[in-house]
């Protein structure tokens, strides 16, 4: 279980929060002008990368506030947390310090315990 | 040749304790484990093995035990308890497991002779067919003969949970752990020291390897250290606390056993589950000795050498005064010395190393003490019936037989890397130590002492000072003096060669799960050459001991078969828990009524008094139906309630209904966006049935929206949907429309709600609320009034979920029961009947009203339910609007809502059945049967006196009046039905607006 630093309440247990999926996917304003494919892209498609992921969280059993987080999906490390009205930190700022569990490759699967 | 006492042990007192094992009484000492007490009494046979039912004895002296697993009869029949860990107390009753009828005479041991059948992958290959055999024949037999103990008879909650937030956790209170703790005494760090045993000291108490620390006897040094820690302000010790999990974010789980050596007290918690968050984790959890595979290496009497030594020093019992020692490394030197110092003489010393590796010092020692020794030699196997009699030693291809009842073996030692790899640290192979040791930490993890691969105790202080130099502490100065003859050295040896003597002869790699070295070879031959596959196929190291003494050995053997390096073979993944922990430990106090809160309405006790049968709706307890008399069946009760409601009046406790208040400058705009309906032209103090969609256009929830004015709305939701609807509103307000000034708040529990309906409901409410004009002109359908009543504010809405004239009454919960009783006082003259959720469903189905979650399942749009009239088409936007014109949602052959009635009015249609076009199903289904949809609701209508059903069927709107069929649970004949409008009663809404 990871710790999440709510920007309004401070560090709390993951069980107090709910994940809201990929961040920075704005709801299209003039949806009537979108074709089925583009609208479908908004409704049904989200990224699911291994590594750096910008996502939304809500402190559902706390202050009920939504905020954004950058998480390394292969280690569950929270790399940054920022409010909805703040600019997201750049991807480059994490890339050098990014870890993978047990040194497994950054893409693809595998769960090694022995150092090669 | 038998056991003897060692009066100079560390832990054992001379207080006698009597206990029972398999019904027989024995005497042990206070502090004994079940295992040490049994060894003291020369009991060697303690268990039957998992698959072959072979006789087994105590193999180790701790958590790693694969054989000595027992059931504690007087502790609610607790199964799978390690005899090597569980301490005895006066009156404890222990029984062996997996044997029938008794340990000595076990019928299942026939499996051993049939063992060619039971080789690797046996279960996967054998019990394949014929159909039905698994459930009726194979499983019952396997369950009786295989497996572990019997489950406890009843579940009991026996643990509490405790949270910790610290700077440093030290796992292990042995040599390295204690030195580290001394280094941290009275520093700025908050420290937690976790020790799995009931005392500190680890290796210092398990052996005599260390002579002196800082010129003090080990015991004196331990006591001094413990006192220093206790006097310090920053270090806390938790004994009997085993760390089972090392999770992400330095989150550790430790299980503390609070009833060690004590009879359990049913009124107290026995266990504490510690949930620990720490900045740094120091692993000082030591090492575990591993075994060697040879012929019959499972016979009672074979024991790990270091465990034998532990019994001598820790528990004061020498399990056998003249055992044979078989080793490939130097850690057994101290056992040899301990035996001789106590005046005992090993029957033989067998070492696979050559004389250079063994060293002159040890050879001299053996010669001087007249011990028969064999170097460059191996144990080929051992023989005996339920106990070792002879041990065959192989040297230069000659077999020498030695008589002894015990054989102490050591195949080397492994750093206990389980927790380190759980933390996602990487290990690497060390050719010199012939084992895996930690290499790179993934988290803030530091390994110290033998877990880090430092098997040289003299270097411990130096290692600690180096690795902890990043902390703001002073260096420790401490001198460690050894008793050992040699520094650690080892020669790789996993398995000795043996001649097959009989089917009975086996060389085991996993004692717990009865996996032999032959099974490994066969599995590799069959293509399972990846270690993770091999593990699952053979079940190697999958027992409750997780192969702690043997998993590295299996890697060694497999690497030899594959002609690869062990580092290339790799380890399997170590997963929590480190040792088994019971579900009740995890559950803590969240059991029974504390598992999930129960929500009750203010009328709950009245419902009980009036024979309500309850139904769980989410966490709510809702009356399902009311029994008029004790023997009344549900069917009769529901028919009676429904009939009476349509005849005069019925009342439903709807307090569980979700209620949300929406307030703010932009409330109207927000409501127009959230719901499909248009609210702009809606008059204040009126209400409307409304739908909420997802962005995919599917119905998510429904409810009634009350508009007080443009800035103030109150909405109801389904009983189960309230939290989600509120959360969705919050989400859109915060993330999509932060410009809207709107506040949403749950008021579900601030108002109790009653639904009174039926032709006489107006008469009744008029008598209760005498100041209110309930006439049709002044109080039309879908309007509401707010007024003062009983010193509080009451809101009454004219609405209906039954199709009858009806009112929904809202009142503060603390006045609710009083009002409810008042309504019954005046309702009596009209035969007012209380009804529950089942009647509610029946009445709404008669009227063709849908239930979200019953007719809908997340794939249904408003168009599919013919709810076009509820969609504010002129609105520019609302959630899900664009999706209603997607090519998929505008298909004409989507499943649509229809009513269905059986052609033969005496027949009944069941919910969930398929609607099809054929009059019967084929006897044998060979190809998929074309089906149109399913029956979503079905009831026997007391008011129409036949079955009415709703169904979602493909292109349903165009099938009105068609004859179709519905499958049934009886046979292949289908029920002929007619597709009709889903509104069965009062399609003109005359009753509703009367
Ligand atoms: Zn918060």
């Amino acid at each position: 279980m990871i710790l999440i630093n709510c920007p309004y309440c401070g560090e709390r247990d993951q069980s107090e929060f709910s994940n809201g999926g990929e961040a920075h996917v704005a709801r299209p304003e003039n949806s009537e002008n979108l074709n089925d494919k583009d609208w479908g892209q908004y409704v049904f498609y989200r990224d699911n990368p291994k590594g750096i992921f910008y996502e939304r969280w809500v402190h559902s059993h706390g202050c009920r506030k939504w905020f954004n987080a950058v998480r390394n999906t292969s280690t569950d490390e929270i790399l940054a947390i920022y409010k909805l009205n703040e600019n997201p930190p750049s991807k480059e700022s994490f890339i050098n310090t990014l870890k993978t569990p047990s040194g497994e490759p950054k893409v693809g699967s595998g769960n090694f315990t022995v150092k090669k | 040749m038998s056991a003897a006492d060692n009066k100079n042990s560390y832990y054992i007192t001379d207080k006698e304790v009597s206990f029972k094992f398999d019904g027989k009484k024995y005497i042990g000492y206070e502090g004994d484990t079940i295992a040490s007490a049994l060894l003291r009494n020369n009991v060697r046979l303690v268990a039957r093995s998992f698959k072959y039912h072979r006789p087994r004895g105590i193999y180790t002296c701790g958590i790693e035990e694969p054989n000595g697993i027992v059931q504690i009869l007087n502790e609610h029949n607790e199964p799978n308890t390690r005899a090597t860990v569980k301490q005895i107390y006066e009156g404890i009753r222990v029984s062996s497991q997996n044997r029938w009828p008794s340990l000595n005479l076990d019928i299942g041991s026939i499996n051993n002779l049939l063992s060619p059948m039971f080789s690797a992958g046996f279960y996967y290959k054998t019990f394949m067919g014929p159909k039905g055999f698994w459930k009726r024949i194979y499983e019952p037999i396997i369950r009786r003969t295989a497996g572990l103990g019997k489950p406890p008879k009843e579940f009991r909650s026996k643990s509490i949970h405790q949270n910790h937030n610290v700077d440093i956790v030290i796992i292990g209170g042995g040599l390295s752990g204690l030195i580290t703790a001394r280094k941290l005494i009275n520093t700025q760090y908050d420290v937690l020291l976790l020790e799995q045993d009931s005392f500190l000291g680890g290796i210092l108490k398990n052996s005599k390897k260390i002579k002196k620390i800082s010129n003090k006897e080990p015991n004196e040094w331990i006591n001094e250290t413990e006192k220093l820690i206790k006097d310090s302000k920053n270090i806390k010790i938790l004994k009997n606390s085993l760390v089972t999990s090392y999770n992400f974010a330095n989150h550790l789980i430790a299980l503390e056993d609070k009833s060690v050596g004590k009879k359990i007290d049913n009124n107290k918690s026995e266990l504490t589950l510690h949930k620990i968050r720490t900045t740094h984790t120091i692993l000082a959890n030591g090492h575990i000795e591993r075994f060697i595979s040879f012929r019959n290496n499972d016979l009672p009497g074979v024991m790990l050498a270091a465990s034998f030594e532990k019994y001598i020093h820790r528990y004061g019992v020498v399990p056998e005064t003249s055992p044979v020692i078989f080793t490939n490394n130097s850690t057994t030197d101290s056992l040899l010395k301990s035996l001789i110092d106590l005046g005992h003489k090993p029957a033989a010393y067998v070492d696979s190393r050559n004389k250079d590796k063994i060293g002159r010092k040890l050879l001299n020692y053996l010669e001087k003490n007249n011990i028969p020794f064999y170097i460059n030699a191996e144990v080929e196997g051992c023989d005996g019936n339920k106990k070792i009699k002879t041990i065959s030693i192989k040297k230069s291809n000659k077999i020498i037989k030695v008589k002894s009842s015990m054989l102490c073996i050591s195949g080397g030692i492994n750093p206990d890397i389980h927790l380190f790899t759980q933390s996602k640290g990487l290990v690497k192979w060390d050719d010199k130590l012939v084992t895996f040791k930690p290499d790179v930490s993934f988290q803030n993890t530091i390994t110290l002492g033998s877990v880090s691969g430092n098997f040289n105790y003299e270097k411990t202080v130096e290692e600690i000072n180096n690795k902890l130099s990043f902390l703001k502490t002073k260096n420790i100065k401490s001198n460690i003096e050894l008793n050992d003859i040699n520094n650690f050295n080892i020669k790789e040896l996993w398995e000795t060669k043996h001649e097959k003597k009989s089917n009975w002869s086996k060389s085991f790699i996993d004692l717990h799960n009865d996996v032999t070295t032959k099974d490994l070879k066969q599995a590799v031959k069959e293509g399972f050459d990846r270690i993770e596959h091999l593990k699952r196929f053979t079940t190697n190291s999958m027992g409750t001991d997780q192969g702690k003494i043997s998993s590295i050995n299996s890697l060694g053997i497999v690497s030899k078969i594959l002609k690869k390096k062990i580092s290339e073979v790799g380890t399997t993944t170590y997963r929590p828990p480190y040792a088994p922990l019971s579900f009740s430990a995890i559950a803590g106090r969240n059991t029974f009524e504390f598992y999930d809160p129960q929500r009750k309405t203010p009328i709950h006790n009245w419902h009980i008094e009036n024979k309500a049968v309850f139904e769980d709706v989410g966490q709510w307890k809702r009356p399902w139906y009311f029994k008029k008399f004790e023997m009344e069946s549900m069917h009769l009760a529901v028919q009676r309630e429904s009939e009476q409601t349509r005849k005069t009046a019925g009342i439903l406790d709807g307090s569980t209904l979700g209620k949300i208040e929406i307030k703010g400058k932009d409330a109207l705009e927000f409501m127009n966006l959230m719901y499909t309906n248009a609210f702009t032209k809606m008059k204040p103090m009126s209400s409307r049935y409304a739908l909420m969609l997802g962005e995919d256009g599917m119905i998510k929830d429904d409810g009634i929206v009350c508009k007080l004015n443009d800035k103030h709305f109150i909405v109801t939701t389904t009983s189960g949907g309230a939290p989600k609807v509120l959360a969705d509103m919050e989400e859109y307000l915060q993330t999509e429309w932060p410009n809207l000034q709107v506040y949403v708040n749950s008021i579900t529990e601030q108002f109790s709600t009653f639904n009174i309906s039926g032709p006489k409901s107006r008469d009744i409410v008029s008598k209760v609320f005498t100041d209110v004009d309930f006439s049709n002109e002044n109080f039309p359908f879908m309007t509401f009034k707010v007024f003062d009543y009983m010193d509080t504010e009451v809101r009454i809405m004219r609405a209906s979920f039954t199709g009858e004239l009806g009112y929904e009454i809202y009142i503060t919960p603390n006045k609710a029961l009083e009002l409810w009783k008042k309504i019954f006082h005046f309702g009596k003259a009209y035969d007012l009947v209380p009804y529950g959720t089942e009647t509610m469903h029946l009445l709404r189905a008669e009227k063709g009203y849908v239930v979200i979650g019953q007719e809908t399942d997340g794939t249904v749009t408003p168009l599919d339910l013919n709810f076009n009239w509820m969609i504010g088409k002129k609105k520019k936007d609302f959630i899900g609007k664009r999706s209603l014109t997607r090519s998929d949602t505008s298909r004409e052959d989507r499943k649509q809502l229809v009513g269905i009635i059986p052609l033969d009015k005496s027949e009944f249609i069941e919910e969930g059945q398929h609607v099809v076009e054929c009059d019967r199903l084929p006897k044998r289904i060979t190809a998929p049967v074309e089906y149109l949809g399913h029956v979503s609701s079905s009831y026997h209508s007391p008011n129409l006196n036949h079955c009415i059903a709703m169904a979602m069927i493909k292109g349903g709107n165009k099938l009105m009046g068609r004859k179709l069929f519905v499958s049934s649970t009886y046979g292949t004949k289908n029920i002929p039905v007619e597709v009709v409008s889903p509104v069965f009663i009062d399609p003109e809404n005359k009753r509703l607006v009367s």
Side-chain angles (χ1 to χ4, degrees), chain B residues 120-135:
Chain B
F122 163 71
Y123 288 93
Y124 304 120
K125 291 172 189 163
T126 312
F127 302 113
M128 298 292 286
K131 197 183 157 211
F133 260 51
W134 174 258
K135 213 175 160 192

Side-chain angles (χ1 to χ4, degrees), chain B residues 662-674 709-713 733 737-743:
Chain B
I662 294 125
K663 266 184 167 173
K665 186 163 84 42
D666 303 311
L668 175 65
E669 190 183 344
F670 176 68
M671 289 298 289
N672 276 331
L673 283 165
M674 289 305 294
N709 55 56
D710 283 352
K711 291 174 187 149
H712 190 182
F713 290 80
L733 276 174
W737 310 309
N739 54 313
L740 295 185
Q741 252 195 47
V742 177
Y743 304 92

